[in-house]
Amino acid sequence: MLLQMFGVNPLGGLVIALVVPVVAIAFGTYVGVLMALQSFFGESSWQDVSTSDAE
């Protein structure tokens, strides 16, 4: 296996196998929320949306 060639132990491989998908999902969610803010509200942050609603 490729990871064993670089000296990663089985526990390290398990951690990588769990952390990488979680980080990818979190980043995808973040990008999706930013895209939704821009397309629906024309703003780039929730703070901009909440201050424009209050005015």
Side-chain angles (χ1 to χ4, degrees), residues 30-50:
Y30 174 74
V31 170
V33 167
L34 286 180
M35 289 176 63
L37 278 172
Q38 290 176 349
S39 65
F40 291 119
F41 300 110
E43 303 290 350
S44 60
S45 72
W46 285 115
Q47 185 177 6
D48 293 339
V49 173
S50 63

